[in-house]
C-alpha cells in the first residue's frame, strides 16, 4: 500500500484489524494467478518490439478479451465469498478485474519500452493510494480494515480508466474489437510457464507469511507482516528496476557488462540494508507497538544484496534468454527448499526463525542462479565482500548502543569496505560511462 501506508496505518488500526489488512494483501499478491498467464504471454510476445509496429486492433482485442475473462473469474470468487461469509475473500473478488487489467497495461508498456506511460500510470495509482490513505488515517482516523482494503481497489479502477484513455487517445489504438478465442488461447499457452514461474517467485517471497499466519497467533502474524511491509518499502524500487531491466537484457547478452552491473547492484543492496537503522528510529519513536518486529526486520533487510541481484539480473536473464523451462525449474526448486527451511526453522516456536529461514533461502537461490543462469563462478572477492558487509550489518543491527551511532558507523565502514574491494572497478565503470 505504499511507503506512507506502511508507517501510517499501524498507527490507527488495531493489531487484529492490521492482521486482516495484511491477510487481504497476502491474497492480492497471488491475484496474478487468475490471469492464467495471459498478460505474461503478451509480455513475452511483445518484448523488445517497437509499439508503433504493433497491430493496434489485435492488441486492443487482446486487452478487452482479457477484461471479459477476468469478469467471469470475478463472479466465481464473489460467489465463494458470499457462501463462506468471508469479507476478505469478497474484497479479493472485487479486486480481480481492476488489479489484473491494470497489470496487463503495465506489461505492454514494459515489454515495448514505453516507460514514460508506465511511470505516468504508476504515478496515478500511487498518488490516489497515498491520498486515500492520508484521508483515512489523518483526517478521518478510521480503524475499519475494509476501508483500507478498498484503497487498492479504487486506486486500481482509476488507473485502468486512465490507461484506457492513454491507449485510445494518446497511443491512437484502434477501438475496434474482434473476438478471437484462438488468439486468447495463444497468449495463455505462451505465458503459462512464466505465470507458474512468477507464482513460484511470489511463493518464495510470501511463503514465510503463510507459515506465520498458519503456525503463529494473529498478533504474531501482524508483527511479521509489519516487518515484511518495511522490507517492501525498498522492494518496490527493486521490482521497478527489475521490470525495466528485462527490455535491456533482451537486447544485450554481454556478460562482462552484466557482471559490472551486478557489482553495482550488490553495493546498492548493501546500502539498502542500512535503511534499517532509520526505520528502527521511526518505529521506536512513533509505532512502539510494533517494536517487537525490529529483530525480524533486521534479518529481512540483510537479504537486500541478494534480492536485488536475483530480481534485476538472474530472473530477467532467464526470460530474456527464452529459457522458460530453466526459469521454472529454478524457482520451483527454491519454493520447495524455502518450504522445507521455513517448516524446519518454525518448529523452534520463535517468529524470528522464519525470517532466518527466508534469508538462508535467498542466499542459496543467489548461489544457484549464479551458476544456472549466467554460467559464471562466484568470485572470491564477491564472497568476502558479502561476508564482511553482511556480518557488519547483523552485528550492528543486534547491538544495544545508540541507533544513530550504529547507522553512521555502518555506512562509514561499508563505504570503506566497498572502496577496498571494488574501488578500481567502480572507477573504471564511472570513467567508461562519463566519456
Amino acid at each position: 500500500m505504499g511507503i506512507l501506508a506502511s508507517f501510517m496505518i499501524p498507527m490507527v488500526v488495531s493489531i487484529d484489524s492490521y492482521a486482516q489488512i495484511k491477510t487481504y494483501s497476502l491474497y492480492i499478491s497471488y491475484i496474478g494467478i487468475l490471469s492464467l498467464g495471459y498478460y505474461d504471454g503478451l509480455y513475452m510476445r511483445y518484448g523488445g518490439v517497437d509499439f508503433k509496429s504493433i497491430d493496434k486492433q489485435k492488441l486492443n482485442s487482446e486487452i478487452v478479451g482479457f477484461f471479459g475473462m477476468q469478469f467471469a473469474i470475478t463472479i466465481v470468487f464473489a460467489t465463494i465469498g458470499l457462501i463462506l461469509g468471508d469479507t476478505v475473500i469478497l474484497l479479493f473478488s472485487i479486486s480481480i478485474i481492476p488489479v489484473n487489467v491494470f497489470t496487463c497495461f503495465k506489461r505492454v508498456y514494459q515489454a515495448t519500452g514505453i516507460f514514460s506511460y508506465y511511470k505516468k500510470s504508476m504515478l496515478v495509482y500511487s498518488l490516489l493510494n497515498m491520498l486515500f490513505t492520508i484521508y483515512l488515517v489523518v483526517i478521518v482516523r478510521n480503524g475499519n480494515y475494509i476501508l483500507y482494503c478498498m484503497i487498492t481497489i479504487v486506486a486500481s479502477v482509476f488507473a485502468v480508466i486512465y490507461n484506457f484513455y492513454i491507449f485510445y487517445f494518446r497511443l491512437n489504438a484502434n477501438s475496434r474489437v474482434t473476438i478471437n478465442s484462438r488468439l486468447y488461447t495463444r497468449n495463455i499457452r505462451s505465458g503459462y510457464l512464466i505465470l507458474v514461474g512468477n507464482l513460484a517467485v511470489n511463493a518464495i517471497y510470501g511463503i514465510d507469511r503463510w507459515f506465520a499466519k498458519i503456525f503463529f497467533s494473529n498478533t504474531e502474524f501482524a508483527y511479521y507482516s509489519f516487518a515484511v511491509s518495511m522490507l517492501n518499502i525498498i522492494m518496490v524500487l527493486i521490482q521497478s528496476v527489475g521490470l525495466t531491466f528485462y527490455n535491456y537484457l533482451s537486447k544485450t547478452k554481454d556478460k562482462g557488462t552484466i557482471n559490472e552491473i551486478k557489482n553495482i547492484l550488490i553495493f546498492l543492496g548493501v546500502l539498502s540494508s542500512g535503511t534499517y537503522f532509520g526505520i528502527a528510529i521511526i518505529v521506536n519513536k512513533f509505532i512502539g507497538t510494533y517494536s517487537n518486529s525490529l529483530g525480524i526486520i533486521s534479518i529481512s533487510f540483510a537479504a537486500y544484496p541478494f534480492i536485488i541481484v536475483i530480481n534485476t539480473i538472474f530472473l530477467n536473464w532467464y526470460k530474456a534468454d527464452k529459457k522458460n523451462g530453466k526459469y521454472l525449474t529454478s524457482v520451483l526448486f527454491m519454493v520447495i527448499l524455502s518450504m522445507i527451511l521455513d517448516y524446519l526453522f518454525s518448529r523452534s516456536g520463535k517468529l524470528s526463525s522464519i525470517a532466518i529461514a527466508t534469508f538462508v533461502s535467498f542466499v542459496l537461490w543467489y548461489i544457484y542462479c549464479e551458476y544456472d543462469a549466467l554460467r559464471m563462478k562466484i568470485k572470491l572477492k564477491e564472497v568476502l565482500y558479502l561476508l564482511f558487509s553482511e556480518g557488519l550489518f547483523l552485528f550492528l543491527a543486534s547491538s544495544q548502543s545508540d541507533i544513530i551511532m550504529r547507522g553512521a558507523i555502518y555506512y562509514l565502514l561499508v563505504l570503506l569496505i566497498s572502496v577496498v574491494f571494488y574501488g578500481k572497478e567502480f572507477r573504471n565503470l564511472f570513467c567508461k560511462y562519463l566519456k
Side-chain angles (χ1 to χ4, degrees), residues 162-273:
Y162 176 71
N163 276 284
F164 271 116
Y165 166 76
I166 290 175
F167 200 63
Y168 293 128
F169 296 101
R170 294 291 181 87
L171 297 176
N172 300 316
N174 194 318
S175 60
R176 292 178 59 191
V177 176
T178 303
I179 304 300
N180 189 335
S181 58
R182 187 177 299 175
L183 184 63
Y184 304 154
T185 304
R186 184 177 68 175
N187 285 330
I188 293 173
R189 196 165 53 240
S190 62
Y192 84 94
L193 279 178
I194 297 299
L195 168 69
V196 176
N198 289 338
L199 170 61
V201 172
N202 280 346
I204 292 172
Y205 286 104
I207 196 70
D208 54 342
R209 281 178 288 164
W210 284 110
F211 272 86
K213 184 167 181 62
I214 294 170
F215 293 107
F216 292 86
S217 68
N218 211 38
T219 299
E220 288 173 307
F221 172 68
Y223 287 146
Y224 195 89
S225 296
F226 178 77
V228 172
S229 70
M230 295 297 102
L231 180 73
N232 288 340
I233 291 174
I234 306 296
M235 280 294 294
V236 171
L237 300 176
I238 292 174
Q239 289 169 349
S240 297
V241 172
L243 288 169
T244 56
F245 210 69
Y246 169 72
N247 189 265
Y248 174 78
L249 285 179
S250 296
K251 299 174 182 177
T252 182
K253 300 292 171 64
D254 179 41
K255 291 188 178 180
T257 302
I258 299 302
N259 194 57
E260 290 176 346
I261 295 173
K262 189 184 76 169
N263 291 335
I264 294 176
L265 292 175
I266 291 173
F267 173 65
L268 291 176
V270 169
L271 293 181
S272 298
S273 296

Side-chain angles (χ1 to χ4, degrees), residues 3 85 153 197 273 295 381 393 418:
I3 296 174
I153 299 170
S273 296
K381 181 190 292 188
F393 171 73
S418 300

Side-chain angles (χ1 to χ4, degrees), residues 57-99:
Q57 182 179 343
K58 181 188 291 185
L59 178 58
N60 182 54
S61 297
E62 289 175 310
I63 293 175
V64 174
F66 179 65
F67 190 101
M69 184 179 78
Q70 295 300 286
F71 179 78
I73 294 173
T74 296
I75 298 299
V76 174
F77 276 87
T79 303
I80 294 172
L82 288 170
I83 292 172
L84 296 177
D86 192 317
T87 304
V88 176
I89 292 179
L90 275 173
L91 290 167
F92 172 79
S93 68
I94 299 170
S95 308
I96 293 171
I97 292 175
V99 172

Side-chain angles (χ1 to χ4, degrees), residues 332-344:
L332 285 178
F333 170 76
M334 289 311 300
V335 166
I336 295 170
L337 180 62
S338 296
M339 292 178 68
I340 293 172
L341 289 175
D342 280 332
Y343 175 72
L344 292 175

